[in-house]
Amino acid sequence: MKSYDIAVMGGDGTGPEVTRENIKVLEVVAAKFDFKLNFTDFDLGGERYLKTNEALPDSAVEDLRKFPAILLGAIGHPDVKPGILEKGILLRLRFELEQYINLRPVRLYDERFCPLKDKGPDDIDFVVVRENNEGLYTGSGGFVFKGTPHEIAVQESINTRRGVERCLRYAFEYTRKRNKDKTLTLCGKTNVLTYAFDLWERAFHEVGKKDFPEIKREYAHVDATTMWFVKNPEWFDVIVTDNMFGDIITDLGAMVQGGMGIAAGGNINPEGTSMFEPIGGSAPKYTGQGVINPLAAIVSGAMMLEYIGESEAATTIENAVIKITREKIKSLAARKMGYSTSEVGDLVASEIS
Ligand code: IPM
Ligand code: MN
């Protein structure tokens, strides 16, 4: 029997609650498709940081590196200053494990949950491929004359040909494999960021023309992209963009698909350890009440299965989520689902078995 070692980081706030439901569903689907998942828990997050003053020990990074995949619940604690856990855990893992892709599908499962007028599941079905290791996120820059009236703060966007090209190649391959409209849109700002997106644009067309001639190449400025997400989301198939723009447009994407309760993503190193997460965060005000929506975590579990090569099992989870979303769930928002967190997990699990 095939077996996979999976690291689990429930993390902070509602992270452990949604992760529990994710694992419940994964175990049911694994039994059905005859493979085994061996879960190993890692106690990382705000609570641990408050006790030990260490966000992420080096040894944990090395341990995590041995796993093909990590399931992450959420990182973020109300008693820890913003930035410490984000940079110390989430961004550090993305960088050190070279998860250079942040894959964020935007798919509406049921018309009722779309905030856009006259748009349905056929209109909202696209994927954002966000570069995840470079851009404004590298921490390059600094202060000069800090705290004086002459203070200067510089925050640089790093775009390497290698980093950009591997992201573009992943996006082209993904568009090919997805086989929907065979259209890849580069989202940038070539009219203002004339160095960074000049490199992106040249690499985009060079790589596309040479190695992916059947994939149609489109370009959209980031500001126009946000407009079209709302006005004509059906125009998009796969979008590729840099780290910062990807961060921003995927929150809008999450709203268009029904909210944080359903939005999942993967931090992907195609050759190493990838990390899957519901993108909603730790939601401290709902912690421990059993009211948070676990569907985003469950969908991230399906993405994990797809990544390790269990595609059929992945599709089975997603189809069960679609069915439950359409037939049972009253709202995708916390406290309004019509069911508790664990009841939603049970619904998906029994749909599968
Ligand atoms: C995300 C989050 C992170 C990001 C934060 C928590 C550092 O917003 O995963 O989109 O900016 O990438
Ligand atoms: Mn974000």
Side-chain angles (χ1 to χ4, degrees):
M1 200 196 288
K2 271 200 172 163
S3 109
Y4 306 90
D5 295 327
I6 308 297
V8 179
M9 270 169 65
D12 298 319
T14 50
E17 295 166 58
V18 297
T19 303
R20 211 170 298 135
E21 302 314 309
N22 189 8
I23 289 175
K24 183 191 281 175
V25 170
L26 284 169
E27 290 196 310
V28 170
V29 86
K32 181 168 176 151
F33 286 90
D34 263 338
F35 59 89
K36 202 170 172 330
L37 297 168
N38 309 310
F39 297 107
T40 305
D41 259 308
F42 283 79
D43 173 27
L44 296 163
E47 287 301 334
R48 190 188 172 281
Y49 173 79
L50 289 170
K51 271 184 251 147
T52 62
N53 217 19
E54 186 179 41
L56 183 63
D58 295 343
S59 63
V61 182
E62 291 322 304
D63 287 344
L64 287 166
R65 208 185 278 288
K66 296 178 194 131
F67 292 81
I70 305 167
L71 297 176
L72 172 63
I75 295 293
H77 195 289
D79 302 337
V80 181
K81 209 174 116 209
I84 294 185
L85 300 170
E86 292 87 336
K87 279 190 166 174
I89 301 179
L90 191 60
L91 297 182
R92 182 162 170 220
L93 286 174
R94 286 177 182 172
F95 285 12
E96 289 197 24
L97 300 177
E98 261 196 87
Q99 295 164 340
Y100 61 85
I101 298 297
N102 197 322
L103 188 65
R104 296 189 164 178
V106 177
R107 185 167 172 200
L108 175 68
Y109 290 145
D110 188 87
E111 208 158 282
R112 287 179 298 145
F113 304 132
C114 185
L116 306 178
K117 198 160 157 276
D118 301 329
K119 299 290 177 191
D122 290 342
D123 302 306
I124 296 162
D125 182 5
F126 59 89
V127 178
V128 178
V129 176
R130 163 185 174 189
E131 200 292 319
N132 211 29
N133 278 177
E134 302 194 338
L136 281 164
Y137 277 68
T138 64
S140 176
F143 294 109
V144 189
F145 311 129
K146 190 175 177 186
T148 75
H150 303 285
E151 177 163 355
I152 301 166
V154 179
Q155 195 96 41
E156 290 156 327
S157 175
I158 303 297
N159 299 264
T160 68
R161 174 70 195 214
R162 168 180 169 270
V164 168
E165 190 167 325
R166 67 183 178 178
C167 174
L168 290 169
R169 284 191 182 278
Y170 181 92
F172 276 114
E173 295 278 4
Y174 191 92
T175 311
R176 179 181 272 167
K177 198 160 160 235
R178 174 171 152 95
N179 201 16
K180 194 180 168 238
D181 302 330
K182 295 204 176 217
T183 304
L184 179 62
T185 303
L186 171 66
C187 163
K189 190 73 186 174
T190 52
N191 52 347
V192 177
L193 306 180
T194 51
Y195 310 128
F197 280 100
D198 186 78
L199 187 158
W200 274 86
E201 197 178 32
R202 275 182 287 117
F204 179 62
H205 291 298
E206 276 168 34
V207 168
K209 199 168 164 189
K210 182 162 171 288
D211 294 330
F212 303 89
E214 85 283 17
I215 306 296
K216 199 166 158 225
R217 278 168 274 137
E218 299 273 16
Y219 172 80
H221 290 320
V222 62
D223 47 350
T225 302
T226 62
M227 180 174 78
W228 287 324
F229 269 23
V230 174
K231 197 165 172 281
N232 300 98
E234 67 279 4
W235 285 357
F236 295 108
D237 179 11
V238 181
I239 298 165
V240 63
T241 192
D242 83 350
N243 209 341
M244 188 80 256
F245 291 167
D247 178 46
I248 297 166
I249 67 173
T250 54
D251 266 22
L252 180 56
M255 289 305 118
V256 163
Q257 72 181 125
M260 285 303 180
I262 197 74
N267 299 277
I268 303 207
N269 174 344
E271 295 92 39
T273 305
S274 298
M275 179 164 71
F276 299 84
E277 54 176 338
I279 72 179
S282 60
K285 72 173 178 186
Y286 297 120
T287 303
Q289 299 173 30
V291 296
I292 195 79
N293 188 344
L295 290 174
I298 292 169
V299 174
S300 79
M303 293 180 73
M304 186 276 287
L305 291 180
E306 180 74 44
Y307 172 78
I308 61 174
E310 295 291 345
S311 299
E312 231 186 309
T315 310
T316 301
I317 295 184
E318 196 179 18
N319 287 340
V321 170
I322 293 174
K323 190 143 187 275
I324 296 306
T325 303
R326 290 196 180 150
E327 295 175 5
K328 307 270 188 199
I329 303 291
K330 295 190 174 55
S331 159
L332 294 172
R335 220 192 295 285
K336 298 182 182 151
M337 301 183 288
Y339 300 90
S340 70
T341 304
S342 71
E343 282 169 342
V344 173
D346 290 342
L347 284 170
V348 178
S350 63
E351 179 59 38
I352 292 169
S353 59

